[in-house]
Amino acid sequence: MNKQETVISVQNLTVQYGDNVILDNVSFDVHKGELFVIAGGSGSGKSTLLRHIIGLETPKAGKVILNGIDATGLSESKLEALRRRIGMLFQGSALFGSMTISENVSLPLEEFTSLSEASIDYLVRMKLGMVDLSGYENHYPSELSGGMKKRAGIARAMALEPEMLFLDEPSAGLDPVTTAELDVLIRKLNEGIGTTMVIVTHELETIFNISHRVIMLDKDTKAIIAEGDARELKEHSSNTKVRNFFNRRIEEKKN
């Protein structure tokens, strides 16, 4: 992992809906090849931040720089071209139920490339093999377990060889064993192909198992209150909220 090369730079980002400020003047960088986790309690703006990074929403103020390109100032056509260079796994996997797993994964390749049918078929099988779904090409989403659907969603997100992969609560709805298996897969993919990954999660085991670096958002301050190695934050953060979060402690209420 090259920690010197910044591929994502969020600069003074403010997100506001009406009078409700969700994020206030948030800044951070993500480095090439990094497993970067956005953490925080419920309602802290984790998924909202992710949507702004990939350009699904426009911030009130601030910039998002992706590989040197200011994504916040692009036209819709240029933004769409930029999005082809990134992969996204949404919380529900977003697979089309009427299509086989192979057909789901092939969609981006058919839409955005001029590859032959044979080449697309080869790439689909390769991507499914990378997420341990070889042999499930002709299965439908309804025939897969929750963990398998997540892996199929990752395969589709990786179809166009993205430079960056974004995962929103990848273990949501999964049991602890399946979550641990998914963590291993994410780490293996990162180590194997070096894709920069930004992951939103509140699952502590996932944070400790996969993250190179983590930021923690706070609902009250609407800002980042911690950044660094998860285990260091757990043991040594001077912020009580941060220590409580990483140690699963409930903050005591003052009378």
Side-chain angles (χ1 to χ4, degrees):
M1 181 178 65
N2 181 2
K3 290 191 174 182
Q4 305 307 310
E5 185 175 349
T6 297
V7 293
I8 302 169
S9 182
V10 175
Q11 302 175 1
N12 309 114
L13 193 78
T14 295
V15 175
Q16 183 173 343
Y17 303 114
D19 295 329
N20 188 20
V21 176
I22 307 299
L23 298 168
D24 187 19
N25 202 35
V26 167
S27 298
F28 62 91
D29 292 335
V30 180
H31 306 124
K32 186 174 182 178
E34 192 169 28
L35 271 169
F36 185 89
V37 168
I38 300 171
S42 178
S44 59
K46 302 185 296 297
S47 294
T48 298
L49 174 56
L50 196 66
R51 290 196 301 274
H52 280 76
I53 295 173
I54 65 176
L56 292 180
E57 296 187 35
T58 303
K60 176 77 172 179
K63 294 181 179 180
V64 175
I65 312 295
L66 300 178
N67 274 344
I69 300 171
D70 182 0
T72 48
L74 293 182
S75 65
E76 187 58 37
S77 61
K78 290 183 178 179
L79 186 58
E80 187 62 37
L82 182 63
R83 287 197 194 114
R84 295 176 197 172
R85 297 164 58 184
I86 66 178
M88 179 72 199
L89 175 70
F90 296 96
Q91 287 189 30
S93 299
L95 298 172
F96 292 100
S98 61
M99 304 172 69
T100 65
I101 299 307
S102 177
E103 290 169 340
N104 268 281
V105 177
S106 68
L107 268 178
L109 295 165
E110 292 171 351
E111 185 173 356
F112 298 118
T113 76
S114 56
L115 293 171
S116 67
E117 185 177 336
S119 295
I120 290 176
D121 182 66
Y122 171 78
L123 285 172
V124 168
R125 291 178 183 276
M126 183 177 72
K127 299 301 179 185
L128 289 175
M130 291 171 67
V131 297
D132 302 323
L133 284 178
S134 293
Y136 289 90
E137 289 84 358
N138 296 320
H139 286 62
Y140 288 88
S142 61
E143 298 174 310
L144 303 184
S145 68
M148 294 167 80
K149 289 178 186 176
K150 297 289 178 118
R151 285 187 272 145
I154 291 174
R156 187 177 64 183
M158 294 171 53
L160 294 173
E161 304 285 345
E163 299 163 23
M164 293 167 268
L165 188 61
F166 297 86
L167 300 92
D168 190 6
E169 298 282 6
S171 57
L174 302 182
D175 62 79
V177 173
T178 306
T179 295
E181 291 172 348
L182 191 63
D183 291 347
V184 170
L185 173 65
I186 290 170
R187 192 88 195 213
K188 183 178 75 172
L189 290 173
N190 172 260
E191 293 171 353
I193 58 180
T195 303
T196 305
M197 297 187 183
V198 178
I199 300 148
V200 163
T201 185
H202 65 277
E203 296 283 353
L204 284 182
E205 289 304 315
T206 293
I207 295 170
F208 292 133
N209 286 339
I210 69 174
S211 67
H212 295 142
R213 192 158 53 99
V214 58
I215 58 170
M216 180 178 170
L217 301 178
D218 176 57
K219 183 178 181 179
D220 296 326
T221 61
K222 309 178 192 307
I224 296 170
I225 58 171
E227 179 177 343
D229 178 88
R231 288 180 171 80
E232 286 290 318
L233 295 173
K234 176 182 178 180
E235 299 296 334
H236 304 297
S237 175
S238 59
N239 188 308
T240 303
K241 277 189 177 181
V242 175
R243 288 200 313 275
N244 286 345
F245 178 85
F246 285 103
N247 287 279
R248 289 195 179 95
R249 286 199 294 256
I250 299 174
E251 192 170 358
E252 294 183 7
K253 302 292 183 182
K254 296 179 180 180
N255 293 327

